């Protein structure tokens, strides 16, 4: 069961396996919105979590493939919980210290082995230097290869940054059919209208993504967005909502400029949806 | 008040204030096509005037053939029908002044009622919406029922070599 974490209306998927399944099995794309741990200061490539459109999250919930959950640990610790938090912090510090000692031991052993390998060369080099300086060659040198006990600098220590929670956090399920602070979309007419269009287009086999970059509601792709450009910019028109002509011209012109057809979508007669394509006429 | 292009009316005639978007000059007001459209008595004067401007643009500006006007009473619109080129099918053009706003429903209604039933019944309903600005600019947009794929992108071989090389360099950087 895919877990979708909701937070103030945003739907997030934190598990890499779930994100993959959502794309491969359900043909839903979403957007990666997280910073990458190794390359944080850029946004050309982002990582988990995967943010889903409200329509995508609802589709998965409706199909029974996902549950919407909400974390319950966001409140500050209650009175009795503070000692447990302190204990956890202490345990973490202890683990860190143990890891450091282990790394120091291993690093020291490796250094020793390396020096042993090169012992002959080092001795030769030292002898040459002593001759140059004119010292007697009889001076007994310690095999002071380990001149001082080896100390691994703290800044060179390797630390693991977990990118998944080590223990599952406490979550509670959220009902996607009724509005709540973390999932306010249920019942809103705008959301319902968009969802109807989304479900219909998804049902016809298209891939869909957010259309705000092109002034529309959705972008409609004939295949995976990594392989195809979008064909349509879908604009959901609620029945009875007037479309000012200037806005229509602006939207259609943008569509022509980026080689996409503008698709007006709204509920039609008899419960079906009506789609109208808008293109530049080409009259010079 | 002297307006260029308008002959001063004789002093005996009443002057009705003309609504914006209507012809004020004598030559337009007595143009036979405009009077024909007015006499259809299906739409208000701004829509009729828009239809007249589109009529002139199609014939004189775009060189269309066989352009006729049709009054659609239930939609309260004057539409035009014509051929873009000699041997092509008739197309329907729906003129509208820019300040009118339509719902998606009304657009579909217009498509269903104004469209000419073609011989091949599987071709989708389609009209051309001609939007007329107050300065007489006309923009034409095609409305079609259903999903119409956009034109494919240009062939890369047509691109200027220099542009292509610049793009490749940017991609591989």
């Amino acid at each position: 069961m895919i877990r979708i974490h909701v937070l103030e209306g945003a739907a997030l998927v934190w598990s890499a396996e779930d994100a993959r399944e959502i794309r491969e099995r359900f043909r839903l794309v979403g957007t990666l919105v997280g910073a990458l741990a190794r390359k944080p200061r850029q946004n050309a490539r982002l990582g988990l979590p995967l943010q889903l459109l409200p329509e995508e999250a609802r589709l998965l919930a409706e199909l029974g493939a996902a549950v919407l959950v909400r974390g319950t640990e966001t409140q500050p610790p209650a009175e009795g919980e503070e000692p447990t938090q302190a204990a956890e912090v202490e345990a973490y510090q202890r683990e860190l210290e143990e890891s450091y000692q282990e790394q120091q031991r291993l690093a020291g052993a490796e250094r020793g082995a390396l020096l042993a390998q090169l012992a002959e060369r080092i001795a030769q080099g030292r002898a040459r230097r002593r001759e140059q300086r004119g010292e007697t060659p009889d001076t007994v040198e310690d095999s002071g290869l380990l001149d001082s006990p080896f100390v691994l600098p703290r800044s060179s220590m390797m630390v693991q940054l977990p990118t998944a929670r080590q223990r599952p956090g406490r979550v509670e399920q959220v009902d996607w059919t009724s509005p709540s602070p973390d999932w306010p979309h249920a019942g809103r007419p705008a959301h319902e209208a968009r969802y109807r269009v989304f479900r219909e287009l998804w049902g016809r086999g298209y891939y869909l993504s957010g259309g705000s970059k092109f002034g529309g509601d959705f972008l409609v792709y004939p295949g995976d967005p990594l392989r195809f450009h979008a064909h349509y910019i879908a604009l959901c028109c609620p029945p009875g909502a007037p479309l000012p002509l200037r806005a229509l011209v602006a939207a259609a012109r943008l569509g022509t400029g980026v080689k996409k057809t503008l698709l007006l979508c709204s509920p039609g007669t008899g419960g079906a949806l009506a789609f109208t394509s808008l293109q530049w006429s080409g009259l010079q | 008040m002297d307006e260029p292009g308008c002959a001063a009316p004789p002093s005996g005639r009443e002057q009705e204030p003309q609504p914006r978007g209507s012809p004020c000059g004598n030559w337009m007001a007595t143009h036979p096509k405009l009077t024909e459209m007015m006499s259809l008595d299906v739409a208000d004067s701004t829509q009729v005037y828009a239809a007249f401007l589109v009529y002139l643009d199609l014939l004189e500006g775009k060189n269309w053939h066989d352009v006729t006007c049709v009054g659609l009473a239930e939609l309260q619109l004057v539409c035009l029908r014509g051929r873009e080129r000699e041997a092509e099918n008739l197309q329907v053009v729906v003129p509208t002044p820019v300040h009118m706003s339509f719902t998606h429903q009304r657009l579909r209604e217009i498509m269903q009622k104004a469209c000419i039933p073609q011989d091949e019944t599987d071709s989708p309903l389609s009209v051309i919406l001609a939007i007329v600005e107050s300065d007489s600019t006309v923009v034409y947009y095609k409305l079609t029922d259903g999903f119409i794929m956009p034109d494919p992108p240009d062939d890369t071989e047509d691109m200027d070599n220099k542009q292509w090389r610049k793009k490749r360099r940017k991609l591989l950087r």
Side-chain angles (χ1 to χ4, degrees):
Chain A
M1 183 64 76
I2 296 168
R3 265 189 177 185
I4 300 177
H5 294 251
V6 294
L7 184 66
E8 293 175 10
L12 303 169
V13 176
W14 291 90
S15 153
E17 289 81 24
D18 285 352
R20 187 173 173 171
E21 192 187 343
I22 288 171
R23 194 182 190 116
E24 292 183 353
R25 200 170 131 211
F26 293 102
R27 233 193 319 122
L28 296 170
V29 175
T31 323
L32 291 169
V33 296
L36 289 173
R38 287 199 191 184
K39 277 209 134 188
R41 295 165 69 117
Q42 51 86 33
N43 61 1
R45 289 273 178 270
L46 294 172
L48 290 174
L50 182 74
Q51 180 162 2
L52 299 174
L53 295 169
E55 293 80 32
E56 290 173 325
R58 179 173 163 174
L59 178 64
L60 288 169
E62 257 189 31
L63 293 175
V67 285
L68 271 60
V69 297
R70 193 175 73 84
T72 53
E73 289 179 18
T74 49
Q75 293 88 19
E79 274 303 315
E81 288 185 7
E82 280 193 50
T84 45
Q85 289 234 332
E88 285 176 19
V89 170
E90 209 185 291
Y92 176 71
Q93 298 284 21
R94 223 179 314 125
E95 277 176 30
L96 216 57
E97 183 63 33
E98 281 171 16
S99 167
Y100 174 71
Q101 296 298 341
E102 176 80 10
Q103 286 185 40
Q104 169 146 302
R105 189 180 62 73
L106 288 169
E110 204 178 302
R111 185 168 181 273
L114 190 64
L115 288 174
Q117 253 190 336
L118 301 169
E120 213 182 291
R121 282 241 223 115
I122 294 173
Q124 284 177 6
R126 284 208 171 134
R128 229 180 300 127
R129 254 187 286 123
R130 260 185 273 123
E131 279 181 39
Q132 285 173 2
R133 280 191 248 141
E135 291 169 17
T136 51
D138 300 331
T139 319
V140 174
E141 281 284 322
D142 303 340
S143 54
L145 295 170
L146 293 141
D147 300 293
S148 51
F150 171 68
V151 173
L152 178 71
R154 285 264 173 184
S155 55
S156 306
M157 177 185 151
M158 287 204 297
V159 179
Q160 181 183 22
L161 293 169
T163 53
R165 255 193 115 119
Q166 290 172 309
R167 287 167 292 113
R170 284 192 293 273
V171 292
E172 63 182 17
Q173 199 160 331
V174 171
D175 179 16
W176 60 267
T177 53
S178 56
S180 57
D182 278 325
W183 192 247
H185 309 283
R188 278 196 188 155
H191 168 74
E192 299 292 329
R194 279 175 56 129
Y195 180 72
R196 270 197 72 189
V197 175
F198 183 89
R199 185 80 198 246
E200 175 70 26
L201 290 171
W202 180 82
R204 293 190 187 212
Y206 292 106
Y207 280 70
L208 293 153
S209 78
S212 50
K213 281 190 199 133
F214 293 97
D217 286 304
F218 305 112
L219 286 179
V220 184
Y221 299 80
D224 193 301
L226 286 174
R227 296 168 58 214
F228 294 89
H229 283 296
H231 279 179
Y232 307 98
I233 303 170
L235 206 58
C236 300
C237 313
L243 301 161
L245 283 176
R246 288 217 172 93
L248 206 62
V249 170
R253 182 99 182 190
L254 175 58
T256 312
V258 296
K259 294 191 172 64
K260 298 180 209 312
T261 299
L262 188 69
L263 201 64
L264 300 173
C265 320
S266 62
T269 50
L273 285 167
F275 296 102
T276 311
S277 293
L278 200 59
Q279 292 169 302
W280 182 51
S281 67
L283 293 175
Q284 297 299 340
Chain B
M1 188 187 350
D2 272 341
E3 289 175 46
C6 287
S11 44
R13 199 185 306 183
E14 300 185 356
Q15 280 245 56
E16 313 169 5
Q18 297 282 1
R20 262 194 92 110
S22 315
C24 65
N26 270 346
W27 76 267
M28 271 194 169
T30 53
H31 193 289
K33 206 64 190 179
L34 179 60
T35 45
E36 184 190 332
M37 290 182 184
M38 291 271 220
S39 67
L40 293 171
D41 202 22
V42 288
D44 69 7
S45 56
T46 54
Q47 204 271 330
V48 173
Y49 182 59
F52 179 61
L53 288 179
V54 175
Y55 174 84
L56 291 177
D57 186 47
L58 286 177
L59 277 178
E60 307 288 337
K62 310 280 187 279
N63 297 315
W64 276 36
H65 302 263
D66 309 332
V67 183
T68 56
C69 63
V70 175
L72 298 171
E74 30 178 5
L75 296 171
Q76 295 183 325
L77 290 172
V78 175
C79 301
L80 305 170
R81 288 182 186 172
R83 291 172 214 282
E84 200 173 335
R85 274 173 278 272
E86 194 77 57
E88 284 190 9
N89 288 333
L90 282 174
Q91 291 188 66
V92 178
V93 178
V94 178
T96 169
V98 72
H99 58 256
M100 272 176 77
S101 68
F102 295 82
T103 60
H104 188 200
Q105 246 171 337
R106 180 150 167 85
L107 287 173
R108 293 192 67 81
E109 216 186 309
I110 293 173
M111 278 183 350
Q112 275 152 9
K113 301 214 169 110
C115 202
I116 308 162
Q118 302 283 359
D119 296 330
E120 328 94 59
T121 44
D122 56 345
S123 60
L125 297 175
S126 157
V127 296
I128 296 179
L129 193 65
I131 301 167
V132 184
E133 261 284 356
S134 55
D135 66 352
S136 307
T137 319
V138 190
V139 287
Y140 297 92
Y141 279 95
K142 190 163 182 186
L143 287 166
T144 318
D145 178 37
F147 294 74
I148 302 296
M149 271 180 47
D151 295 329
D154 297 331
D155 197 4
T156 53
E157 281 156 12
D158 296 338
M159 279 163 54
D160 192 15
N161 236 352
K162 186 176 178 192
Q163 274 182 347
W164 177 240
R165 275 188 275 120
K166 245 168 74 173
K167 280 200 178 174
R168 290 281 301 179
R169 251 184 287 133
K170 244 175 116 181
L171 189 72
L172 297 170
R173 202 191 304 157

